Amino acid sequence: MGPEVRALGEDDLRASHALFLRSLLVEPAKDAEWEVLARSYQPGRTFGAYLDGTLAGTAMTWGSTLRVPGGADLPTGMLTRVGVRADFRRRGLLTALMRATLADSVERGEVFSTLHASEPVIYGRYGYGVATRAPRVAVRTGVPFAPTAPAGGRVRFIERDEAVAVLPDLYARVGRSRPGSLARPAQWWPVAIERPSDDLRFIIHAGPDGDDGFAVFSTVDESANGPRLDALNLIGADDNAVAGLWRFLLSIDLAAEVSVWARPPDELVRALFTDPRAVTDETLNDDLWLRVVDVPRALAERTWAAPVVIKVNDPLLPDNTGVYSVSESGVRRGPAEPDVEVDADVLARLYLGTWSATALSAVGRLRARSPEAAARADRAFRLPRPAWCGTYF
Ligand SMILES: CC(C)(COP(=O)(O)OP(=O)(O)OC[C@H]1O[C@@H](n2cnc3c(N)ncnc32)[C@H](O)[C@@H]1OP(=O)(O)O)[C@@H](O)C(=O)NCCC(=O)NCCS
């Protein structure tokens, strides 16, 4: 008999978490850590895969919303804590878990499923594609700012208790301007900022209209030149707030470098200095992986820059398979000659404008009727500013 997947109850969560950590070769959480982690689950959204009566695989989701081009926030699952016991690998447990979590998403009326991949070659087969990119950006301290760089406002430290109280609302207010951004569920926050093992510092930026940005960082000693500040989050309502937070972090005495994880591809820090070599992009990683669970709704609720006809093939969620004519005035499903034909993972790559249909066609990932048809798809999906997620899970 194949694996059986069940939603886990509260009593099984610690075992599920230990299984996940073990699969990443990490020790299970100690009691103090677990006290925080126990608050990071949403009921009914953690799954166990059983084989021969043994809990041997697990995955969980949070319910969220994803901002799509045009500004709508659509119901979305955030899939995480995926792991299979090393002695049960390659026996179909992950596939069973992926089918179960996608079926759960469909049942909940979610339009997307999202994840961050530690094993990036695996998820394409389930219809996930890299939908945003986000480099880690590092800046040397002591480099003069360009004279025109925004001055920023006032920055103050807050303690962890205050961060727990104020950051969720501040993020919801100032952190959601881009397509690709995710609402952060209440259960996401404890893992991010309350774990006793993390020594985090919190700063708030205040602009002319009050608090409008924040950063969360820690100090590491890995840089060859001296201590480095590593920020997990640097979120500002506007360019002034983002510049103000960068300025403050770069002004902290003794730090040799400031490195901020997962910045937008058009991060403004690159333009803040007269010396362009002050800034290095350490990686241009895959950021958010997207799975379009409800294709008709996903296409209908985003805005389009130009018309295009798309044929979608989705054997895993066959209700999505079809031909969609999209334009500024809406979406029509039904017979039409497609400009481009895509599988679900490639639709996910295109959806937030991160990839070019022309480039994907050149490597055979997308079938285009002609170069002009691929260019039409490029125009249709394109966004004025790159999409960005910036929320890790
Ligand atoms: C990655 C992992 C979840 C796969 O679980 P699994 O139960 O062995 O996967 P399945 O047996 O269901 O295999 C699913 C498919 O992915 C492929 N696959 C699985 N792991 C793979 C890997 N590391 N590299 C390449 N392909 C892989 C399988 O060959 C199979 O392909 P097929 O559908 O063409 O037959 C498991 O190996 C694991 O827990 N790894 C460590 C933790 C981890 O990486 N978690 C992922 C966090 S994002």
Side-chain angles (χ1 to χ4, degrees), residues 197-210:
S197 53
D198 294 336
D199 181 26
L200 300 176
R201 311 209 63 194
F202 305 92
I203 53 175
I204 299 273
H205 181 276
D209 301 320

Side-chain angles (χ1 to χ4, degrees), residues 147-384:
T148 54
R154 202 172 61 80
V155 170
R156 66 183 190 279
F157 278 107
I158 57 169
E159 295 299 324
R160 196 194 290 256
D161 286 353
E162 191 181 350
V164 169
V166 304
L167 293 192
D169 285 349
L170 187 54
Y171 171 77
R173 189 159 57 75
V174 305
R176 299 294 314 285
S177 60
R178 297 225 193 195
S181 83
L182 282 167
R184 294 176 173 180
Q187 294 82 358
W188 177 91
W189 286 94
V191 192
I193 62 174
E194 290 189 58
R195 296 169 69 147
S197 53
D198 294 336
D199 181 26
L200 300 176
R201 311 209 63 194
F202 305 92
I203 53 175
I204 299 273
H205 181 276
D209 301 320
D211 293 349
D212 59 4
F214 67 94
V216 180
F217 68 96
S218 57
T219 308
V220 288
D221 263 322
E222 283 168 11
S223 161
N225 308 316
R228 186 180 79 206
L229 306 182
D230 257 0
L232 302 167
N233 262 229
L234 188 158
I235 306 269
D238 55 24
D239 292 342
N240 189 54
V242 172
L245 288 162
W246 272 109
R247 277 184 184 275
F248 181 80
L249 291 172
L250 287 162
S251 75
I252 294 179
D253 286 338
L254 303 182
E257 194 177 67
V258 175
S259 163
V260 187
W261 179 85
R263 298 306 297 154
D266 59 347
E267 161 68 69
L268 92 142
V269 78
R270 287 192 198 88
L272 283 182
F273 305 97
T274 34
D275 174 1
R277 292 188 198 162
V279 182
T280 46
D281 283 5
E282 291 179 345
T283 50
L284 186 64
N285 271 332
D286 46 306
D287 182 36
L288 188 72
W289 288 66
L290 187 70
R291 207 296 175 197
V292 186
V293 173
D294 181 343
V295 171
R297 195 166 162 206
L299 298 183
E301 300 227 23
R302 68 153 279 179
T303 50
W304 298 93
V308 69
V309 181
I310 311 159
K311 177 160 190 241
V312 178
N313 302 314
D314 191 351
L316 199 56
L317 297 176
D319 287 352
N320 288 328
T321 295
V323 177
Y324 301 87
S325 305
V326 308
S327 70
E328 298 88 323
S329 52
V331 176
R332 191 178 55 77
R333 185 174 186 173
E337 185 167 8
D339 292 306
V340 292
E341 182 177 345
V342 293
D343 295 339
D345 61 325
V346 175
L347 176 66
R349 290 194 193 199
L350 293 172
Y351 186 79
L352 292 173
T354 294
W355 295 76
S356 138
T358 298
L360 290 168
S361 153
V363 295
R365 297 304 309 273
L366 168 153
R367 292 158 292 284
R369 183 148 57 92
S370 63
E372 294 73 30
R376 251 195 306 284
D378 285 341
R379 281 196 297 279
F381 282 101
R382 186 173 300 146
L383 306 187

Side-chain angles (χ1 to χ4, degrees), residues 23-24 82-84 88-96 116-119 121-123 125-126:
S23 78
L24 293 179
V82 177
V84 170
F88 282 81
R89 290 210 181 128
R90 311 299 182 266
R91 293 170 69 185
L93 275 80
L94 175 67
T95 298
H116 286 266
S118 11
E119 300 248 31
V121 294
I122 297 172
Y123 293 102
R125 77 193 72 220
Y126 308 113

Side-chain angles (χ1 to χ4, degrees), residues 8-30:
L8 297 177
E10 214 178 316
D11 292 347
D12 295 318
L13 297 180
R14 193 159 183 182
S16 148
H17 196 266
L19 195 167
F20 159 64
L21 288 183
R22 286 273 193 232
S23 78
L24 293 179
L25 308 180
V26 175
E27 258 182 56
K30 304 266 187 309

